[in-house]
Amino acid sequence: MTGYLFLAILALSLVAFYVGRSTASRFVASHGAEVHSRPLYHGAFAAVWVGVPALILVVLWLLSQDGLIDRLILASLPASVTEGVSASRLSLYLSEIKNVASGRIFSEPSPEILAAAERYQRWQAIAGWAMVVVALAVSAIALYLARIRMAPKFRARQSFERALDIAMITSAVVAILVTIGIIVSLTYEALQFFRLVPPQEFFFGLNWEPQIAIREDQVAGTGAFGAVPVFTGTLLIAAIALVVAVPIGLLSALYLVEFASERFRGIVKPILEILAGVPTVVYGFFAVLTVAPAIREAGSLVGLSISPNSALAAGGVMGIMILPFISSLSDDALRAVPQSMRDGSFAMGATRAETITRVLLPAALPGIVGGVLLAASRAIGETMIVVMAAGLTATLTANPLDGVTTVTVQIVTLLIGDTSFDNPKTLSAFALGLVLFVSTLCLNVLALRIVRRYREKYE
Amino acid sequence: MNMLTDAAIENALDKTPAREAVKMRGSDVRVFYGEKQALFDVNLDIGENQVTALIGPSGCGKSTFLRCLNRMNDTIDICRVTGDITLDGEDIYNPRIDVVELRARVGMVFQKPNPFPKSIYENVAYGPRIHGLASAKNDMDAIVETSLQKAGLFNEVKDRLHEPGTGLSGGQQQRLCIARAIAVSPEVILMDEPCSALDPIATAKVEELIDELRENYTIVIVTHSMQQAARVSQRTAMFHLGNLVEVGPTDKMFTNPEDKRTQDYITGRFG
């Protein structure tokens, strides 16, 4: 029923739009140029008046209706049932009433419960119809009010634009609120974790064995929550990715900007950008099925024993993944260096190489650094490739041929299977997530600041 | 190219030989941008230690000719130059000529000040550094200081040599670019409307500077301002539609031009 109500309100506001527009068209016909706003704005104004208050009302109604009815139902239960009963017992009653009301009967309900369930059904229906009536009434009154305000001199455009302003502010606030919500929930659970495991162990401990028992009957290790090897693993893989991506990305951008013909550039640049559109899971199985065995075999040819989940395979493929970030942001940065800089340098008798290394790269450096930092934060936060291609054991090593694990891999494994929010195993995922979030956030802020400063330079 | 123009050029050259020796000479210079011809058989001498002004309406080829003199047109793919241009009698389009060396001898200042996003010091040191003109830091300091002094900028910036050159005012930036060009001790300095982005006060300073630089350098300046050509140059060449219309001593060009088009242009009847 709620869905139909939404549709009805939308249809009403569409009607209001046409009513408003045709009213204003009549103004134009009778008053000519005196009419302040275009008919379109009168229509939009009427549509907003009819639609928005009613929709807000419905949403608020739905949010409060259940709580209200629940409380009324509990209050209506005879005192003999509720006398001296704990809160959790009461909520059990409530869910039993709801189950009975919706026809899911597990055991023979007591007559009080049956009566309450009947009341519940009745009140639900009343509330639903009341909502429809009130919402449609609000729409109708709003349409009437809007029609009264409409006049040739009425500033419908300003009113409508104010409504748009509010809509935009609301959208922005929603995005911010969601971010704040994520931070709060991460922080809250992370604090729970640090109540169980001291922060110094987490931040400085060298052992990571979080697979401890969640239920009493599980057989598992005693656990260790030293996150250092996890973070070094992440850094190692991200570093390998950057070692692969930075030179290739930068050189390809340089080639495309400074040397390639327009035609070649027109073909190659979109292809490079396709790399950014490959799903990471595809990169993941490319890494685990193609690259890792290749590296392993190449290693065995020269007598190296390489772990099947080497950091090199995961990092190398991740490097390919972040390549488009670096090449395309460097490309933009190099392109933004004005031609007059190149001319100035050539006119001094500088060669192309001198111009590139001494003028272009320094001038474009902030943009390039910004691109590298964005790519780095992407590499650190990347999950799918490492889940598939990197290892699970947290080894403290700088050897790219060993298997390492990363923060994201650990979060995934910690939250798969049983979870329990009073157990450090589950909660440690939130601590890892918080640290990861803070570090990529810092990288992003830094990168954006650098990019912004550089943008101001040539205006 | 009509007979009248040819005659006019011959006349001008005969009657008013460059006061000093000829530094650069263009003979039958033609420039093509793809299919389009931008310059038609231009014959022009640039006198040593003189200021030669190139005037003419927009699109007449004066900047194109200027850019031929240090082969800046090489950076445009579709541009083709024929004819001879010599520097001290040597053909600068000869394949044996190193364009890097040529540009060190024939410097250029652009229409819009284009300091590099580096410090004032580094802007001036850029040329000497790439050409290896100074090995010790002291030598470089000396080159930077004298160049800035010659450009009349040193006193204004001596306390902030290591601040970015882009932070200077427009006129200061243009003088910084002149200092940058001077720093490699060129023989010829080409200036492509160097004052068009400057206010009158900065323009006056740059013009004064051009007049002083004439002692040591040969200068070719493209300008849209008749007054500027009259103030700073000794010889003026008038271009129109890719042709050299007339060339002669500046005072004669502005008082008694031979070609009607020159007269029309400098009196403001067209262009």
Side-chain angles (χ1 to χ4, degrees), chain A residues 72-108:
Chain A
L72 287 176
I73 288 288
L74 283 181
S76 72
L77 284 176
S80 58
V81 182
T82 53
E83 193 84 327
V85 171
S86 70
S88 56
R89 185 80 204 140
L90 277 180
S91 84
L92 262 182
Y93 280 140
L94 200 56
S95 60
E96 193 182 353
I97 292 169
K98 285 182 187 171
N99 277 333
V100 172
S102 59
R104 293 189 299 267
I105 298 173
F106 303 110
S107 59
E108 193 55 36

Side-chain angles (χ1 to χ4, degrees), chain B residues 20 51 66 68 105 118 136 155 208:
Chain B
E20 318 280 334
V51 177
L66 189 79
C68 289
R105 292 175 65 190
K118 299 169 181 278
N155 286 330
E208 206 176 300

Side-chain angles (χ1 to χ4, degrees), chain A residues 388-401:
Chain A
M388 295 172 79
L392 284 179
T393 37
T395 342
L396 187 59
T397 175
N399 179 359
L401 304 180

Side-chain angles (χ1 to χ4, degrees), chain A residues 35-37 42 45 146 149-157 159:
Chain A
V35 180
H36 175 272
S37 300
H42 280 95
F45 165 78
R149 287 184 66 186
M150 265 185 236
K153 296 270 185 199
F154 175 57
R155 297 173 168 249
R157 177 163 52 83
S159 297

Side-chain angles (χ1 to χ4, degrees), chain B residues 5 25-26 55 83 85 121 153 164 188 251 256:
Chain B
T5 323
R25 165 171 285 164
I55 62 170
I85 299 176
Y121 182 97
L153 190 61
V188 183
D251 42 7
N256 187 20

